Amino acid sequence: MDNQTKEIFQIKRKILSNPNIILDDIDLMKTLISQSDTISAGNIVDIRSLAMKRLETRIKKVERTNKTIVAAAYENISGTNIIHEALLKLMEINNFHDLENQLLIDLPSILKISNLHLMLENELQEIGPTKLRNCLSLVKPGTVDQYIRAGSQTNIKKITLRRISSASRLVYPNLADEIKSEALIKLDFGSSRLPALLLMGSTNSNQFHSKQGTELLDFFGKAIERILRHWQI
């Protein structure tokens, strides 16, 4: 086998092992298509057909990518609008009683969730948790982190999103059997005050899960912190 034959054999073997070398090269594909008219019928491989199929595959891939990007952008805009609307409602609150009403009525509807609950740590809470209303409870120091961990040794984060199989009856008294996912926002009122936890419960197991972004909820939590810091709770 002479050198030229060896070189052709090596090129052929390389192309057979990875056809994309040709299929992804626009100049090579143009040359092959232009030459296909001069090749005898017995030796023709339908290059045009192959190129069109390749092009269709790429177009479909681009379309899928575009749809994903558009869907993600729409979801982000929709989520931003929801948070903004909720914050505008919070800005109307003048006292803690108003906040209770918002947690019970307006905010769950705006946020499109099934239940909203505020858990407040209190140094005087020695015996056990006290339910103030369906949307409020007092708990002993350390309960917030304990609830976030849910029995595991996971690190405490500002925002925790998770699916749940067994919901707390203290937090979701009327919906404990139906709540399937929740978002937890840890609230920091400053170094001299105990933390709190804002809990969003949903009957939809896909509404909150660990792979979601948390930027909007983090912003929402920081706004609530600033409102509650001015009140004695």
Side-chain angles (χ1 to χ4, degrees), residues 75-155:
E75 184 177 349
N76 187 54
I77 292 172
S78 177
T80 301
N81 290 338
I82 288 172
I83 294 299
H84 285 173
E85 186 178 353
L87 289 177
L88 288 174
K89 275 292 180 183
L90 285 171
M91 291 172 65
E92 298 174 0
I93 296 173
N94 295 314
N95 52 59
F96 197 64
H97 178 70
D98 289 345
L99 176 63
E100 290 181 87
N101 291 330
Q102 292 285 12
L103 292 175
L104 274 173
I105 302 169
D106 291 331
L107 290 178
S109 175
I110 293 172
L111 295 168
K112 303 183 186 305
I113 56 177
S114 305
N115 196 89
L116 194 60
H117 186 91
L118 183 61
M119 180 186 292
L120 302 166
E121 288 191 359
N122 189 294
E123 291 178 349
L124 301 178
Q125 199 61 31
E126 299 290 346
I127 302 175
T130 298
K131 194 66 172 291
L132 301 179
R133 291 180 65 176
N134 282 341
C135 62
L136 291 166
S137 61
L138 292 180
V139 296
K140 64 182 180 181
T143 302
V144 165
D145 287 354
Q146 184 180 359
Y147 189 94
I148 294 173
R149 285 196 176 98
S152 68
Q153 296 301 314
T154 183
N155 293 330

Side-chain angles (χ1 to χ4, degrees), residues 34-207:
S34 65
Q35 291 296 314
S36 64
D37 290 332
T38 63
I39 302 174
S40 61
N43 294 327
I44 285 180
V45 174
D46 193 347
I47 299 295
R48 287 191 178 91
S49 176
L50 184 60
M52 288 303 297
K53 288 179 180 178
R54 192 74 173 182
L55 182 60
E56 287 174 1
T57 300
R58 289 182 179 179
I59 290 174
K60 288 178 180 178
K61 184 178 181 180
V62 170
E63 287 178 345
R64 288 195 298 269
T65 301
N66 287 344
K67 286 179 180 178
T68 301
I69 293 172
V70 170
Y74 176 81
E75 184 177 349
N76 187 54
I77 292 172
S78 177
T80 301
N81 290 338
I82 288 172
I83 294 299
H84 285 173
E85 186 178 353
L87 289 177
L88 288 174
K89 275 292 180 183
L90 285 171
M91 291 172 65
E92 298 174 0
I93 296 173
N94 295 314
N95 52 59
F96 197 64
H97 178 70
D98 289 345
L99 176 63
E100 290 181 87
N101 291 330
Q102 292 285 12
L103 292 175
L104 274 173
I105 302 169
D106 291 331
L107 290 178
S109 175
I110 293 172
L111 295 168
K112 303 183 186 305
I113 56 177
S114 305
N115 196 89
L116 194 60
H117 186 91
L118 183 61
M119 180 186 292
L120 302 166
E121 288 191 359
N122 189 294
E123 291 178 349
L124 301 178
Q125 199 61 31
E126 299 290 346
I127 302 175
T130 298
K131 194 66 172 291
L132 301 179
R133 291 180 65 176
N134 282 341
C135 62
L136 291 166
S137 61
L138 292 180
V139 296
K140 64 182 180 181
T143 302
V144 165
D145 287 354
Q146 184 180 359
Y147 189 94
I148 294 173
R149 285 196 176 98
S152 68
Q153 296 301 314
T154 183
N155 293 330
I156 299 299
K157 296 183 291 186
K158 173 79 174 179
I159 309 295
T160 301
L161 307 178
R162 64 191 183 195
R163 295 186 176 97
I164 55 176
S165 57
S166 180
S168 167
R169 294 195 177 276
L170 173 72
V171 176
Y172 313 107
N174 302 320
L175 292 170
D177 295 331
E178 300 176 41
I179 296 296
K180 301 302 179 186
S181 66
E182 62 184 1
L184 312 178
I185 305 176
K186 186 176 181 180
L187 305 178
D188 181 4
F189 301 133
S191 57
S192 61
R193 298 173 66 180
L194 292 170
L197 187 65
L198 185 67
L199 305 98
M200 301 180 181
S202 174
T203 56
N204 179 0
S205 62
N206 293 318
Q207 185 160 358

Side-chain angles (χ1 to χ4, degrees), residues 25-36:
D25 191 302
I26 295 176
D27 293 331
L28 280 175
M29 290 298 291
K30 285 181 179 179
T31 301
L32 288 171
I33 290 172
S34 65
Q35 291 296 314
S36 64

